[in-house]
Amino acid sequence: MSNLDRQAPLTVCGGRGFVVAEPVRELLSPRRVQLGESTEVRRLLPNLGRRMVGAWAFVDHYGPDDIADEPGMQVPPHPHMGLQTVSWLHEGEVLHRDSTGSLQTVRPRELGLMTSGRAISHSEESPRPHARFLHGAQLWVALPDAHRHVEPHFEHHADLPRVTAPGLTATVVLGELDGATSPGTTYTPLVGADLALAAGTEANLPLDPDFEYAVLAMSGEVHVDGVPVLPGSMLYLGCGRSELPLRAASDAGLMLLGGEPFEEEIVMWWNFVARKDEEIREAREAWMTSDRFGEVKGYDGDRLDAPEVPAAHLKARGRVR
Ligand code: MN
């Protein structure tokens, strides 16, 4: 999906200054953002007090929305660079097209992974006809400097590894969890896992103490390390944990996001990740005036115009705490 914000700020993220070295329980509230005409998302990252979790730099949660009589998701062609996008659905389906020629319907609990590398453009839409409900998450992973100019490509993985315990099924979406590794290509040590808990489950999820973690609640009633986390909210957990206590009062769906703290400082604006704001301005210009980001074929509609890059210089990054 895309950041359709017309007032997109330039944001500096990453670096050790933001990372909390010890276990914490920091509840992040979502910001409601309109995405096109018919979809409203809850944005968890970047958040006022927290911008990244490992290499995870952007998290939107949407639905469940009844789109039986609506177009559903309609995100016109737009560019990306310096990141990977992860599409993860609990209900519904999304039709992905991109400038490398991909045409793929992504369904619940299948990984749609797009590596933008130096430049890609794509569209995402609810196909016609589509399922009644749409519920999912859109996440971005920042690429490290050594790999941020790789060739753009798209991966679709329908068969993902699972880790199970009584009442808990963890699907490894990206990276590694408890020895199980997703087939999706990664460029930094990280994990994204879908956690399905049955009502009444108490479980301890094994974690890597060197990773920074957060949990996104998508459905149900769940306590994460004793903290109730409502659907559409995220609990930041810091580093230094070897396990995570989970308790589900009802059937519940969560996403565990984690990774090695992202050491490099990045600049994010609109749908781009870079290192300097000049790169951002060049990329914006290239999207508006050149074919650097390629062409999305087959989308019925206009492509998205880029908003203006704020004129102000980037403010120095401050510590979170
Ligand atoms: Mn996008």
Side-chain angles (χ1 to χ4, degrees):
M1 226 194 297
S2 164
N3 184 0
L4 299 187
D5 201 340
R6 302 308 296 174
Q7 315 277 311
L10 273 162
T11 311
V12 182
C13 321
R16 274 277 170 183
F18 282 108
V19 177
V20 182
E22 71 278 359
V24 290
R25 297 176 296 186
E26 185 183 299
L27 200 55
L28 303 180
S29 299
R31 185 163 67 92
R32 290 176 187 281
V33 178
Q34 197 68 28
L35 204 68
E37 281 173 24
S38 60
T39 309
E40 188 191 76
V41 304
R42 291 169 291 280
R43 183 151 302 156
L44 283 315
L45 287 183
N47 201 296
L48 209 54
R50 176 87 19 219
R51 291 176 183 166
M52 292 181 82
V53 177
W56 300 97
F58 185 94
V59 176
D60 273 354
H61 174 234
Y62 53 91
D65 291 327
D66 185 344
I67 58 166
D69 302 316
E70 295 187 38
M73 184 187 295
Q74 298 298 329
V75 182
H78 60 277
H80 285 288
M81 74 169 182
L83 55 87
Q84 294 175 290
T85 66
V86 172
S87 300
W88 188 253
L89 291 169
H90 278 185
E91 292 181 89
E93 61 278 288
V94 170
L95 177 62
H96 165 94
R97 303 172 195 268
D98 69 43
S99 53
T100 71
S102 310
L103 177 64
Q104 179 68 53
T105 302
V106 180
R107 297 193 162 80
R109 294 184 168 78
E110 298 177 355
L111 170 61
L113 175 65
M114 185 178 80
T115 302
S116 77
R118 55 187 163 71
I120 201 167
S121 53
H122 75 146
S123 64
E124 287 169 296
E125 59 196 297
S126 296
R128 275 160 287 193
H130 53 247
R132 178 170 177 185
F133 289 101
L134 180 63
H135 183 201
Q138 162 80 6
L139 312 108
W140 297 355
V141 177
L143 292 171
D145 195 44
H147 297 288
R148 67 192 181 100
H149 301 293
V150 296
E151 280 294 302
H153 63 276
F154 181 79
E155 299 169 49
H156 176 242
H157 300 286
D159 195 14
L160 296 168
R162 296 210 162 99
V163 176
T164 58
L168 168 67
T169 300
T171 304
V172 187
V173 178
L174 199 61
E176 193 197 320
L177 179 71
D178 197 24
T181 305
S182 161
T185 304
T186 56
Y187 297 89
T188 52
L190 56 78
V191 64
D194 182 273
L195 313 176
L197 288 95
T201 299
E202 291 194 32
N204 276 312
L205 197 67
L207 300 184
D208 180 339
D210 295 332
F211 276 18
E212 182 182 27
Y213 288 98
V215 166
L216 166 70
M218 290 182 65
S219 62
E221 215 177 307
V222 70
H223 285 68
V224 179
D225 194 16
V227 179
V229 187
L230 296 174
S233 296
M234 195 158 92
L235 186 69
Y236 176 74
L237 295 161
C239 303
R241 295 172 180 269
S242 53
E243 58 177 26
L244 182 64
L246 301 170
R247 186 161 57 81
S250 68
D251 288 356
L254 310 171
M255 281 199 90
L256 174 75
L257 304 174
E260 231 171 47
F262 200 79
E263 302 269 359
E264 301 170 24
E265 280 190 13
I266 62 173
V267 178
M268 272 182 71
W269 176 78
W270 196 41
N271 296 300
F272 302 140
V273 168
R275 296 298 180 276
K276 295 182 171 155
D277 67 335
E278 293 77 34
E279 279 179 74
I280 296 278
R281 289 171 207 282
E282 278 169 25
R284 191 238 175 233
E285 195 61 19
W287 169 246
M288 296 303 285
T289 61
S290 81
D291 59 1
R292 191 211 285 189
F293 292 92
E295 188 193 344
V296 180
K297 294 205 166 75
Y299 181 81
D300 182 17
D302 293 335
R303 57 182 230 159
L304 208 61
D305 280 343
E308 296 292 335
V309 185
H313 284 291
L314 290 171
K315 287 191 182 131
R317 176 179 63 86
R319 276 177 172 267
V320 166
R321 51 176 64 214

